[in-house]
């Protein structure tokens, strides 16, 4: 019996050493996949400064037509971001993920642009740092500015 237990313990030790301390197969969320479709009906446009702060914002207005966003992230971290059926594809190291407002967000950066999508769909932010403006999109009416 001791020999069986010792063999099992050695296999577990070898398995843990091979995996390392990071058991996740995908992004920072433990390797889970994510697939959601969001619809945004409201927009706020702002000027955007070099310190990543919006200012001089418009009132919230209704968009017509609405904007749809599909975000799919596989368990190994590959992402597909589609805005009104125009899709972009990202490898695991080409976007960032984090937490803000108490929810997870995904940050996709281009040359002078960024698109931040919140995992609950509450907000999408499009930032053009070259032109110095940002657009905030919401699925519910939101008057924060």
């Amino acid at each position: 019996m001791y020999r069986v237990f010792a063999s099992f313990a050695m296999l577990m030790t070898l398995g843990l050493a091979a995996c390392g301390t990071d058991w996740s197969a995908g992004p920072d969320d433990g390797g889970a996949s994510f697939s959601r479709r969001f619809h945004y009906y409201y927009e706020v446009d702002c000027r955007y400064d070099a310190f990543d702060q919006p200012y001089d914002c418009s009132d919230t207005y209704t968009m017509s037509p609405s904007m749809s966003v599909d975000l799919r992230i596989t368990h190994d971290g590959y992402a597909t971001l589609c805005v009104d059926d125009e899709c972009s594809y990202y490898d695991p190291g080409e976007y960032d993920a984090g937490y803000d407002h108490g929810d997870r967000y995904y940050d996709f950066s281009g040359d002078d642009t960024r698109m931040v999508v919140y995992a609950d769909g509450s907000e999408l932010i499009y930032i053009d740092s070259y032109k110095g403006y940002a657009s905030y999109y919401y699925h519910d009416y939101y008057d924060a500015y």
Side-chain angles (χ1 to χ4, degrees):
M1 181 68 164
Y2 176 75
R3 187 181 298 180
V4 172
F5 179 74
S7 297
F8 180 72
M10 185 177 357
L11 285 174
M12 288 300 296
T13 303
L14 289 173
L16 288 174
C19 290
T21 57
D22 182 14
W23 287 43
S24 66
D28 284 344
D29 60 0
S33 59
F34 180 86
S35 181
R36 298 280 309 267
R37 181 176 182 95
F38 307 114
H39 295 278
Y40 297 98
Y41 304 98
Y42 302 97
E43 183 175 356
V44 174
D45 294 317
C46 301
R47 294 177 65 186
Y48 202 74
D49 67 19
F51 302 104
D52 289 337
Q53 296 298 314
Y55 67 98
D56 196 19
C57 295
S58 70
D59 290 334
T60 302
Y61 63 91
T62 304
M63 296 170 27
S64 181
S66 66
M67 181 174 61
S68 65
V69 173
D70 291 293
L71 177 58
R72 282 176 240 119
I73 299 177
T74 63
H75 70 281
D76 52 358
Y78 291 91
T80 303
L81 176 64
C82 302
V83 178
D84 289 334
D85 299 323
E86 296 283 330
C87 297
S88 299
Y89 305 95
Y90 299 88
D91 288 339
E94 295 180 324
Y95 65 92
D96 292 319
Y99 286 91
D100 193 15
H101 306 302
D103 196 18
R104 185 164 190 79
Y105 68 84
Y106 299 94
D107 188 344
F108 301 92
S109 297
D111 290 332
D112 291 316
T113 61
R114 286 177 47 209
M115 185 168 288
V116 180
V117 182
Y118 282 83
D120 67 352
S122 63
E123 183 177 27
L124 178 139
I125 306 166
Y126 176 77
I127 302 164
D128 187 324
S129 58
Y130 181 75
K131 294 181 179 178
Y133 76 85
S135 296
Y136 294 78
Y137 300 94
Y138 305 99
H139 62 82
D140 288 326
Y141 183 82
Y142 187 71
D143 191 18
Y145 299 100

